[in-house]
Amino acid sequence: MDRRRFLNTGSVLSGAGLLAPAVVLAQAAPAVITRDAMRPQMAHGIQSGDPKADGAIIWTRSDRPARLWVEWATTASFANATRVRGPHMLEDTDFTGRVDLSHLPAGQEIFYRVVLQDLHNERVLSEAMNGHLRLPAVAGSTAVRDVRFTWSGDTAGQGWGINEAWGGMKIYEQMRKVGPDFFLHCGDTIYADGPMAAQVKLPDGSLWTNLVTEDVSKVAETLNEYRGRYRYNLMDANVRRMAADVPQIWQWDDHEVSNNWSDSKDVSGDPRYTEKNVPLLVARATKAFHEYAPLRRTADAESERVYRHLPQGPLLDMFVVDMRSYRGPNSANLQTVENEESAFMGRPQIAWLLDGLKRSKATWKVIAADMPIGLHVGDGKTAQGQDKWEAIANGDDGTPLGRELEIARLLREIKRAHIKNVVWLTADVHYTAAHYFDPSKAKFTDFAPFWEFVSGPLNAGGFGPNKTDATFGMQVMYQKAPAEANAPPSSGMQFFGQVDIDAKTKAMTVTLKDLAGASLYAKTLAPQHA
């Protein structure tokens, strides 16, 4: 690429608004680079994320110190393109960088290309890498189109990594092929605690062959090992292809740090860990997650915040919650009053969520949750020998206790505020299911009925189904799970969900799909009016 053509003088936009004109970096003609090794490389591809009506995050990683540049247009020919100067990409971020593109035309398809400028020689540019995304309409707009998105979770877990002979993480290609407006990753974006072997013997005697790097051969402890888990997933061609073509919305759960982490997490007896300081592991994992996730950062008041509201036009508001960062310690989960020990999302986040739901003018309000409401998810035993719980349910089918108190308050306030069309989407349990929460069958009845849909895993061991809790009247309307625990991806027990909202009828159809893209179950929900 001609450096002067890409970096010619002109105004550029950034997330902060207009910057000074881009400078011509040298007066002499640019060097002609014929060897790719001389150019910065983007071996881990490009990603877009957190789409909104007038903006989106563009992310990439360099192999050396570089400056990020992005060019975007509303046509594939890049006619009348706008050039944006991004940040320097240095060792302190593992050479990752992002631009928050703003002032984009709402509801449009955006074509973008990313170029890196070598900081050792500013006349040297990388090859351009092209991407695409589709923006939602402005909330309240009359120019409404159908909405489609996919969701799932749980990538590269339980020792199941990139098997290139099998086609790699090919469920990502299935999701890309349905043409979603965005993909929601409901957590466990990596498995920092899941070492991978080069080969795994399958029940039929055949071998599953993993692509293995040094960073995935053991549990992650150092900052570089946590980063290495994200680099590993981006080695997969299917993941990179979808990331360049479909915006993503990420949240996290436990495996970004370590299995079932909370304030009660203790790795002192786990010989795999030489670093026994869990808060330090959390700190390193948090830094790596925020470096690699294509999410929009919040202000310095809480720069590591994951929960956020992402309006997707008149038909849909996305509320991405964080069920990990503010919870109390995993326990028997039987507290009789809300307190720090029983917290799950925490009072500030619940207040934020209720306020957002009340303010929402969108037809549908989707709560993207990293854990299910009514399924038993255990975490061993307490010191007293009681069952210890990782999620919300506590094995007691009676009135709300423990973390259920917080959820009961949330559901009660949703009903009292007459908030309609709230749907929960989640992953975590490594199978797919449709749940209907019916107050007429519940022990706690002060809530309006609603649906929760579960999907996953994407490229991890299949498990389930889990036992159910009756406190909120959860009815299993559909479920599909493997017969054996830790079923390999090659068993076919890998799942994603697809959501379609019709612009004319405003009906939402949720379809649960498998590894081959086949539809397993579909439910069409008619919108309710206040």
Side-chain angles (χ1 to χ4, degrees):
M1 174 180 287
D2 187 313
R3 173 189 60 84
R4 286 186 173 178
R5 180 167 60 83
F6 191 78
L7 300 179
N8 64 347
T9 302
S11 294
V12 293
L13 292 172
S14 77
L18 287 172
L19 294 174
V23 294
V24 177
L25 297 171
Q27 297 302 316
V32 177
I33 303 300
T34 58
R35 290 176 293 173
D36 282 345
M38 298 291 290
R39 301 171 179 249
Q41 303 293 313
M42 291 177 278
H44 299 94
I46 57 177
Q47 303 181 73
S48 65
D50 279 14
K52 58 180 184 176
D54 65 347
I57 299 295
I58 306 298
W59 175 100
T60 192
R61 179 178 185 270
S62 177
D63 67 339
R64 68 195 73 183
R67 181 187 278 283
L68 171 62
W69 289 85
V70 178
E71 195 172 34
W72 68 267
T74 56
T75 61
S77 67
F78 283 86
N80 300 314
T82 299
R83 194 166 303 107
V84 180
R85 183 176 67 184
H88 294 112
M89 305 159 70
L90 300 172
E91 295 87 345
D92 63 328
T93 62
D94 200 29
F95 302 112
T96 64
R98 72 193 63 214
V99 171
D100 191 352
L101 290 184
S102 62
H103 307 292
L104 302 181
Q108 294 288 311
E109 286 197 85
I110 301 297
F111 300 87
Y112 67 93
R113 52 193 176 202
V114 178
V115 169
L116 301 181
Q117 179 184 24
D118 195 328
L119 296 182
H120 294 297
N121 182 351
E122 293 181 328
R123 296 171 59 183
V124 177
L125 303 178
S126 71
E127 291 289 341
M129 189 167 287
N130 288 14
H132 161 269
L133 60 96
R134 187 183 298 118
L135 297 174
V138 176
S141 171
T142 57
V144 184
R145 59 173 171 78
D146 295 348
V147 174
R148 169 174 290 180
F149 69 93
T150 57
W151 95 92
S152 190
D154 318 310
T155 301
Q158 290 75 46
W160 307 108
I162 302 169
N163 183 344
E164 293 183 325
W166 185 66
M169 300 188 197
K170 52 192 179 182
I171 195 168
Y172 276 86
E173 177 63 9
Q174 287 291 354
M175 293 191 293
R176 188 191 71 84
K177 284 164 57 176
V178 305
D181 297 322
F182 63 88
F183 163 60
L184 167 66
H185 199 307
C186 283
D188 294 339
T189 54
I190 60 166
Y191 277 74
D193 57 313
M196 294 182 192
Q199 292 184 327
V200 182
K201 189 172 183 179
L202 300 177
D204 64 2
S206 64
L207 292 176
W208 175 275
T209 302
N210 284 318
L211 178 64
V212 176
T213 67
E214 182 178 354
D215 293 324
V216 303
S217 64
K218 62 180 291 294
V219 296
E221 299 176 87
T222 68
L223 176 57
N224 187 59
E225 287 166 350
Y226 279 108
R227 289 166 167 169
R229 287 286 173 162
Y230 295 98
R231 295 193 296 261
Y232 178 84
N233 289 357
L234 290 168
M235 293 171 67
D236 182 83
N238 302 287
V239 173
R240 293 196 310 274
R241 189 180 303 113
M242 194 197 77
D245 201 37
V246 178
Q248 299 180 75
I249 298 174
W250 280 25
Q251 59 192 150
W252 71 348
D253 194 36
D254 58 329
H255 291 286
E256 285 82 358
V257 179
S258 183
N259 185 46
N260 295 353
W261 71 273
S262 73
D263 284 349
S264 65
K265 183 68 180 180
D266 182 2
V267 297
S268 61
D270 189 335
R272 302 177 305 164
Y273 287 89
T274 57
E275 176 56 72
K276 305 297 186 180
N277 185 340
V278 173
L280 184 56
L281 295 176
V282 173
R284 291 168 177 167
T286 300
K287 179 169 173 57
F289 175 80
H290 283 277
E291 288 171 345
Y292 279 84
L295 63 79
R296 184 171 289 104
R297 292 168 175 151
T298 54
D300 284 345
E302 195 177 2
S303 61
E304 295 172 349
R305 198 174 98 175
V306 173
Y307 70 86
R308 58 206 189 277
H309 171 217
L310 293 169
Q312 298 298 304
L315 295 175
L316 175 65
D317 266 346
M318 294 293 298
F319 294 92
V320 183
V321 302
D322 180 356
M323 294 173 158
R324 186 60 54 180
S325 303
Y326 311 98
R327 64 167 62 194
N330 289 354
S331 68
N333 199 19
L334 297 172
Q335 294 87 357
T336 57
V337 295
E338 279 192 74
N339 54 33
E340 291 184 359
E341 299 295 305
S342 70
F344 195 56
M345 287 187 274
R347 284 190 174 272
Q349 186 177 184
I350 291 292
W352 162 85
L353 178 56
L354 280 169
D355 180 66
L357 291 170
K358 291 174 183 177
R359 291 173 181 270
S360 175
K361 303 298 183 184
T363 304
W364 294 95
K365 296 89 174 164
V366 167
I367 298 176
D370 40 300
M371 301 206 78
I373 296 172
L375 293 177
H376 290 191
V377 184
D379 186 25
K381 299 284 187 179
T382 68
Q384 294 74 36
Q386 296 174 290
D387 288 328
K388 189 165 66 171
W389 299 99
E390 157 73 351
I392 299 163
N394 55 18
D396 184 318
D397 288 334
T399 57
L401 295 170
R403 293 167 176 168
E404 294 173 336
L405 294 167
E406 185 180 275
I407 300 303
R409 179 166 60 86
L410 172 63
L411 297 178
R412 181 174 60 244
E413 291 303 314
I414 289 174
K415 176 186 174 183
R416 291 181 178 178
H418 304 289
I419 301 168
K420 306 297 182 182
N421 308 320
V422 177
V423 175
W424 293 66
L425 301 179
T426 191
D428 183 67
V429 289
H430 295 234
Y431 68 97
T432 192
H435 301 149
Y436 181 63
F437 288 80
D438 186 349
S440 71
K441 301 180 183 299
K443 300 298 182 181
F444 172 80
T445 62
D446 193 10
F447 69 96
F450 65 95
W451 285 82
E452 174 192 67
F453 298 93
V454 184
S455 198
L458 288 166
N459 195 87
F463 291 88
N466 291 30
K467 294 181 180 179
T468 62
D469 190 286
T471 297
F472 298 112
M474 190 186 87
Q475 309 296 301
V476 177
M477 310 307 288
Y478 175 83
Q479 63 185 16
K480 185 170 185 178
E484 72 279 10
N486 199 18
S490 54
S491 71
M493 291 295 173
Q494 310 286 293
F495 306 102
F496 70 95
Q498 177 179 313
V499 177
D500 290 278
I501 306 175
D502 186 274
K504 293 181 179 179
T505 66
K506 300 184 179 180
M508 173 187 281
T509 300
V510 182
T511 307
L512 304 179
K513 293 189 168 185
D514 65 12
L515 178 64
S519 298
L520 306 173
Y521 173 87
K523 178 66 181 180
T524 298
L525 306 176
Q528 295 180 315
H529 302 286

